[in-house]
Amino acid sequence: GIQVEQSPPDLILQEGANSTLRCNFSDSVNNLQWFHQNPWGQLINLFYIPSGTKQNGRLSATTVATERYSLLYISSSQTTDSGVYFCAVGDSGGATNKLIFGTGTLLAVQP
Amino acid sequence: NAGVTQTPKFQVLKTGQSMTLQCAQDMNHEYMSWYRQDPGMGLRLIHYSVGAGITDQGEVPNGYNVSRSTTEDFPLRLLSAAPSQTSVYFCASMDPLGTSGRSDEQYFGPGTRLTVT
């Protein structure tokens, strides 16, 4: 099945710093989403981005489907950005709700 | 809209007991899924459904049953609980047809934390 790898596994930032999180996947996808899991465990949709670029405030994401990777950019980080960031993909041969998750990037933003 | 709701929030079972985790959504989404999350790991798909009466297995289906008799509800049944099923369980729903204007985004419930002793 499709493999999803995220890097880095952990990241510590000072408030105000910028960061880039990477997601590599091993095959064609019909779905790619970025999620933020906050310290209370809630999963929050950030982006649905199987290809192209999107921006939402201080966050933006780019997926280059032909090269099988996606990047999540966080600018001017805040302590509320702390948590785990997951990339999840859907194999192009399956239903779009069959998501395969990476193991996540644990982000800690220090004041 | 309440979105995706899950009950209970917490549950402790003894080995061999059975129970049902409830999941409901009020967004008229066709697709629903169950995932489990173990410490330090990403989510893994247990079972999923693409419409009422249609279910299929995900990555880790053993020990779990599902049914989808209505669009709104997608319960997950543990047949005979084992300590290996200690986990946090998430239910998700998705609108594949884009009728809400945002298709193929999965929305997750708050999770059920299950401990099997």
Side-chain angles (χ1 to χ4, degrees), chain B residues 43-114:
Chain B
L43 282 69
R44 291 183 293 168
L45 182 65
I46 304 172
H47 286 284
Y48 67 101
S49 169
V50 297
I54 306 169
T55 64
D56 206 345
Q57 297 181 350
E59 298 175 76
V60 288
N62 293 340
Y64 307 95
N65 273 358
V66 292
S67 59
R68 184 98 181 272
S69 56
T70 67
T71 299
E72 294 77 20
D73 300 298
F74 191 41
L76 178 72
R77 281 180 283 277
L78 280 69
L79 309 173
S80 177
S84 61
Q85 293 178 305
T86 293
S87 191
V88 181
Y89 291 84
F90 289 96
C91 178
S93 74
M94 186 173 83
D95 169 21
L97 303 177
T99 55
S100 63
R102 299 177 67 175
S103 65
D104 287 348
E105 291 187 40
Q106 289 216 33
Y107 293 89
F108 283 80
T112 293
R113 187 174 296 274
L114 175 68

Side-chain angles (χ1 to χ4, degrees), chain A residues 33 37 45 96-98, chain B residues 35 37 48-49 94 104 106:
Chain A
Q33 288 186 245
Q37 188 168 40
N45 292 48
T96 52
N97 63 335
K98 284 184 68 177
Chain B
Y35 296 82
Q37 184 178 26
Y48 67 101
S49 169
M94 186 173 83
D104 287 348
Q106 289 216 33

